Amino acid sequence: MDERILKWLFDIKFAIEEIDSYFEGSEMDFFKYKKNLMLKRAVERDLEIIGEAINRIVKRDPTFENKITNAKAIIGLRNQVIHAYDNISDENIWSILQIHLPKLKGKIEILTQH
C-alpha cells in the first residue's frame, strides 16, 4: 500500500480512538454531550481530521471510495463542519458517533492490517 495512504489511514484510526477516549469511563449520554461545548468542538475537530484524511486518500487513489463505506458523505461532513459550522446539528453528529463511527472503525482496522 502507498505509504501516504497508510499514514492517512492511521490518522483516521487515531482520530477515532481519540473520540472514543472522550467517553472513556462514562456512558455515552447525548444530553451531557449537547451541554459540553468543549467536548463537541473536540469531536468535530476529529471528524474534520477523518474527513480530510479520507479526502486525501480518495484523491490519491479513487478505488478507496469503494473501500471506505460512505467516503463521500464523510468528506461532505468535513466540509459542513468547516464551512457551515452554524448548521451543525448535535443530533446529526451524535448519530454519526453512535451508528457510523463504529462501522468506520472496523473498516479502518481491516485496511491498516495489510
Side-chain angles (χ1 to χ4, degrees):
M1 181 181 300
D2 181 306
E3 282 185 31
R4 294 300 301 163
I5 290 176
L6 190 58
K7 186 257 187 228
W8 293 323
L9 287 170
F10 274 102
D11 288 345
I12 296 166
K13 182 179 180 179
F14 295 138
I16 293 170
E17 289 172 356
E18 196 166 70
I19 291 171
D20 288 343
S21 77
Y22 301 148
F23 299 97
E24 225 168 63
S26 64
E27 187 176 331
M28 287 182 76
D29 180 295
F30 173 71
F31 297 104
K32 287 181 184 177
Y33 169 80
K34 190 172 177 129
K35 290 179 187 177
N36 188 332
L37 183 61
M38 188 167 29
L39 175 60
K40 290 191 325 184
R41 295 298 179 255
V43 166
E44 290 168 5
R45 175 64 181 142
D46 280 317
L47 292 174
E48 287 175 20
I49 290 168
I50 291 166
E52 180 62 23
I54 291 175
N55 188 40
R56 291 178 182 190
I57 290 168
V58 169
K59 282 183 179 177
R60 188 153 183 127
D61 183 346
T63 66
F64 274 85
E65 193 172 328
N66 296 322
K67 294 177 185 177
I68 299 173
T69 308
N70 296 320
K72 288 290 186 193
I74 296 167
I75 295 166
L77 174 67
R78 173 245 180 232
N79 293 336
Q80 183 183 14
V81 170
I82 291 173
H83 300 295
Y85 61 88
D86 54 340
N87 286 330
I88 298 298
S89 154
D90 292 335
E91 291 79 8
N92 186 35
I93 297 296
W94 190 254
S95 73
I96 289 165
L97 295 178
Q98 295 292 305
I99 299 165
H100 301 289
L101 204 61
K103 293 175 186 174
L104 179 62
K105 182 178 184 177
K107 189 62 173 174
I108 297 302
E109 287 293 331
I110 293 166
L111 289 170
T112 55
Q113 289 176 0
H114 293 88

